[in-house]
Amino acid sequence: MKQLKLLFIAFSLCLQFVQGQATQHNRSAGPKNNTEIIYHVFQRSFFDSNGDSHGDLNGIYQKINYLQQLGVTAILLTPLYESMYYHNYFATDFYKIDRRYGTMADYLRLIKELHRRHMKFYMDMETQYVASDNIWFRDSYKKPASKYSDYIFYTDKGNTKPVSIVAGITDFTGYDGVTRKLVMVNLDNKQVQQFNYDLFKFWIDPNHDGKFDDGVDGFRLDHMMDNLDNANRLPHLFTTFWRPLLTKLRAINPKIKIVAEQAEWGSFGIDNLKAGSVDRVFAFRLAFAIRNFNKKELMLVADSTLLQTPANKQQVVFIENHDMQRFADAVKGDPGKLRVGCALNLLIGGVPSIYYGQELGMKGNKGNFGMTDGNDIPDRQAFEWYKGDEGPGMAYWYKNGPWWTKNNTDIPNDGISLEEEKNDSKSLWNFYRKIINVRKNNTIITTGTYTNLVNNNDHVFSFMRYNGHEKFIVVVNLSAEKQDVAVDINADNKTPITALMGSKPLVNNNKFRLSLNEFGVNVIKLDTH
């Protein structure tokens, strides 16, 4: 799916400190939105619990302590449902869990344990397309009399011409070398709409007892569009499909959160938030701006992203995901840039999302193996648990193929592994823990109002979150050279100032004066009461 999505994106852009311990408190005491930190997991590559080299649900269960030690409060998995593709998009059966991941019992045990520890769980869903192995297509192709005849969008009466998906793709080859048809589902069909409601409802409350301890806390809607693929086949989905569906789901559990992956990565996702009725979108333009280390771009995009977002809606702030070149790869492993990326990811606002292994500085970039989903495997490599990159739980499911010999970045003794970084106070992993702690202790990051702060240095980006007299300020050096800066701020020598990270600024004529090391990060709190 993602290789196809990138083709569509290019086309559309051309057009426009503590080990977590289990507790027994009521789940309602869990993290609120202003303390939530999502850990985005490509689960097949995370931790293998049974020795088959595939990451699985029990592997995640065994690593909940790790997640809590890092400081995250929620996990987002890529799809779990049965599919012929390794990434599990294009479902064969939406109700069945991929057997490589485990059983429904394994799933329920994981969900209940996460909830017992006051953590949240989000499920990735994509029901707009299916592959040719799905019964909707198998039973209806060239069979107009099939009960599934109108489930698939056909353009002829004989059901021989299904509508293609993103960028006109009709056939797609998996990394296993098998080619399948990919087709658009008819979301205008009332039976399809009912199926979606029943499906989403099932994952919200699998045992139908109304308690939700075994259900998801929300969904990620993959490739959400009003006019699906701009094909003018389904040009009105916000009104006819998404809003009605989400309204009914919220009637079941008003606390669920819906995040849309807006298909137009160059947009701010505002239409999805307003017309699409979702709670959150992904801050793609901000993610790209952070990678560019350009002050003017960051100021423009951060301001637009965070201030255009409607009240009570949120942006999910990230710097990498399962469809993108790893941030560490993009910045060539530069330690300073990795720390700046971490700080902006977690402190600029919104709901932060960390892609598994990002906290270690794992690398990976897309391959070039033709029209195949194998191109994305380098961005989805095994989490590096060990110094020597071998040991129990390593999820090397992809070893048999060119993606291993040509694009493998899992190099022993390279300083990138949990074993190497955990006990190193100067490691990227420990820096993530430090920044996460700063965020958790300063909820004004998400409850306060965002504003860019003017300064006199083209290499220094500065912003503030404020709420009345309380102000939280971040000043970041975007360059590899030491920089002096004066930041405009309403403060004087008597203003109480706390340096949460970096040196305490000098205050003169309502300006902060700082000297920042290369890629330095200063975090300051003040009270102007």
Side-chain angles (χ1 to χ4, degrees):
M1 175 61 196
K2 302 311 174 185
Q3 186 69 18
L4 303 182
K5 182 178 298 178
L6 290 176
L7 290 174
F8 173 78
I9 292 159
F11 171 73
S12 62
L13 287 177
C14 287
L15 295 176
Q16 78 89 15
F17 297 119
V18 182
Q19 178 83 4
Q21 299 295 323
T23 61
Q24 300 295 329
H25 300 300
N26 186 282
R27 185 183 165 195
S28 63
K32 294 179 170 44
N33 291 337
N34 57 15
T35 61
E36 185 173 325
I37 300 172
I38 298 170
Y39 195 72
H40 180 189
V41 183
F42 189 78
Q43 63 270 5
R44 196 176 296 277
S45 297
F46 190 58
F47 191 82
D48 166 30
S49 71
N50 60 8
D52 68 354
S53 296
H54 291 259
D56 48 43
L57 292 166
N58 285 334
I60 297 171
Y61 181 90
Q62 292 175 20
K63 292 300 180 180
I64 296 178
N65 280 350
Y66 168 73
L67 300 178
Q68 290 195 309
Q69 186 178 28
L70 178 61
V72 300
T73 64
I75 63 171
L76 164 65
L77 303 186
T78 44
L80 288 170
Y81 42 70
E82 188 178 84
S83 168
M84 298 303 291
Y85 291 93
Y86 76 87
H87 41 71
N88 296 96
Y89 291 95
F90 309 117
T92 300
D93 189 323
F94 287 103
Y95 281 94
K96 286 185 180 179
I97 291 174
D98 187 323
R99 62 182 179 82
R100 293 283 195 180
Y101 298 145
T103 65
M104 179 60 73
D106 297 329
Y107 168 81
L108 293 173
R109 183 175 76 141
L110 172 63
I111 300 305
K112 289 183 177 182
E113 183 62 17
L114 289 169
H115 288 164
R116 193 172 74 90
R117 299 189 188 211
H118 314 310
M119 299 178 72
K120 296 181 179 180
F121 175 83
Y122 298 109
M123 175 176 281
D124 197 343
M125 293 288 277
E126 177 209 58
T127 59
Q128 305 96 304
Y129 313 109
V130 294
S132 50
D133 53 301
N134 186 286
I135 191 172
W136 295 352
F137 181 82
R138 286 191 289 111
D139 195 71
S140 66
Y141 184 57
K142 297 182 179 180
K143 301 174 185 175
S146 167
K147 66 177 181 178
Y148 301 117
S149 182
D150 197 38
Y151 280 47
I152 303 300
F153 216 124
Y154 292 101
T155 60
D156 67 317
K157 293 182 179 180
N159 287 10
T160 64
K161 298 177 181 179
V163 172
S164 60
I165 71 166
V166 183
I169 300 299
T170 57
D171 301 280
F172 195 59
T173 303
Y175 90 109
D176 57 3
V178 178
T179 299
R180 301 170 181 86
K181 285 188 177 298
L182 302 179
V183 297
M184 182 184 290
V185 174
N186 183 8
L187 299 181
D188 276 345
N189 178 275
K190 297 301 181 183
Q191 287 76 28
V192 169
Q193 292 175 0
Q194 183 65 42
F195 175 89
N196 273 268
Y197 171 67
D198 293 339
L199 175 68
F200 280 75
K201 178 182 178 181
F202 170 78
W203 292 112
I204 289 174
D205 186 11
N207 65 358
H208 313 296
D209 66 355
K211 294 182 180 179
F212 312 123
D213 62 320
D214 56 352
V216 303
D217 296 282
F219 298 97
R220 173 191 180 274
L221 305 180
D222 186 80
H223 197 70
M224 184 188 183
M225 300 186 72
D226 186 31
N227 182 0
L228 188 57
D229 298 335
N230 292 326
N232 294 320
R233 302 287 185 181
L234 296 166
H236 42 237
L237 292 179
F238 287 168
T239 301
T240 61
F241 183 81
W242 289 116
R243 281 212 312 266
L245 173 62
L246 300 184
T247 298
K248 290 191 289 186
L249 296 181
R250 291 184 178 111
I252 300 170
N253 181 3
K255 293 182 179 180
I256 63 168
K257 293 295 180 183
I258 310 296
V259 56
E261 184 217 23
Q262 64 270 36
E264 296 90 350
W265 282 12
S267 77
F268 294 107
I270 305 304
D271 286 345
N272 298 74
L273 291 170
K274 291 182 177 180
S277 189
V278 300
D279 302 294
R280 301 168 176 174
V281 292
F282 288 94
F284 280 103
R285 291 191 64 175
L286 187 54
F288 299 144
I290 292 173
R291 290 185 174 215
N292 290 337
F293 286 78
N294 180 285
K295 176 185 176 178
K296 289 183 179 179
E297 181 183 0
L298 263 173
M299 289 181 68
L300 176 63
V301 173
D303 187 76
S304 299
T305 299
L306 300 170
L307 296 184
Q308 285 188 36
T309 302
N312 301 317
K313 304 283 187 173
Q314 295 168 311
Q315 296 277 343
V316 176
V317 179
F318 66 103
I319 58 174
E320 60 180 79
N321 65 23
H322 67 289
D323 295 329
M324 297 168 62
Q325 177 189 20
R326 289 265 190 184
F327 185 79
D329 205 279
V331 301
K332 304 186 186 312
D334 186 291
K337 288 186 175 181
L338 289 173
R339 283 166 170 75
V340 168
C342 167
L344 295 179
N345 187 172
L346 287 155
L347 300 181
I348 205 166
V351 178
S353 176
I354 299 170
Y355 185 48
Y356 81 106
Q358 173 186 321
E359 71 274 25
L360 303 178
M362 282 178 55
K363 297 179 181 179
N365 197 3
K366 296 194 179 300
N368 185 17
F369 308 111
M371 183 59 74
T372 168
D373 60 7
N375 289 323
D376 288 302
I377 291 177
D379 303 329
R380 305 166 180 178
Q381 295 181 64
F383 186 93
E384 299 189 41
W385 297 101
Y386 308 106
K387 179 179 180 179
D389 297 321
E390 294 290 344
M394 291 300 294
Y396 286 137
W397 55 272
Y398 49 88
K399 267 195 171 182
N400 296 323
W403 30 83
W404 177 261
T405 56
K406 291 183 179 180
N407 295 80
N408 177 42
T409 59
D410 198 350
I411 302 169
N413 307 308
D414 62 354
I416 304 173
S417 72
L418 180 61
E419 184 178 2
E420 290 166 285
E421 296 185 44
K422 190 172 184 178
N423 296 319
D424 179 0
S425 62
K426 297 181 180 180
S427 70
L428 180 63
W429 186 80
N430 274 301
F431 188 78
Y432 265 87
R433 292 187 71 211
K434 184 184 300 184
I435 295 292
I436 287 172
N437 189 58
V438 169
R439 181 184 176 89
K440 287 185 173 181
N441 288 326
N442 294 277
T443 56
I444 191 175
I445 294 171
T446 47
T447 61
T449 301
Y450 175 89
T451 186
N452 289 319
L453 288 179
V454 175
N455 67 59
N456 65 346
N457 190 314
D458 290 339
H459 301 290
V460 176
F461 174 52
S462 50
F463 64 89
M464 176 172 67
R465 284 278 175 176
Y466 64 94
N467 188 357
H469 57 82
E470 185 182 7
K471 297 180 178 180
F472 179 89
I473 297 166
V474 178
V475 185
V476 178
N477 181 1
L478 301 173
S479 78
E481 304 291 335
K482 187 175 180 179
Q483 300 290 337
D484 294 322
V485 64
V487 182
D488 290 359
I489 186 70
N490 185 20
D492 57 35
N493 291 326
K494 296 181 180 179
T495 302
I497 299 173
T498 304
L500 302 178
M501 180 174 291
S503 59
K504 186 175 180 179
L506 298 175
V507 181
N508 186 282
N509 295 327
N510 288 330
K511 294 182 185 292
F512 277 170
R513 299 188 183 276
L514 286 164
S515 183
L516 296 168
N517 291 328
E518 59 274 15
F519 297 114
V521 177
N522 269 55
V523 182
I524 303 148
K525 195 171 183 179
L526 67 154
D527 192 325
T528 57
H529 191 274

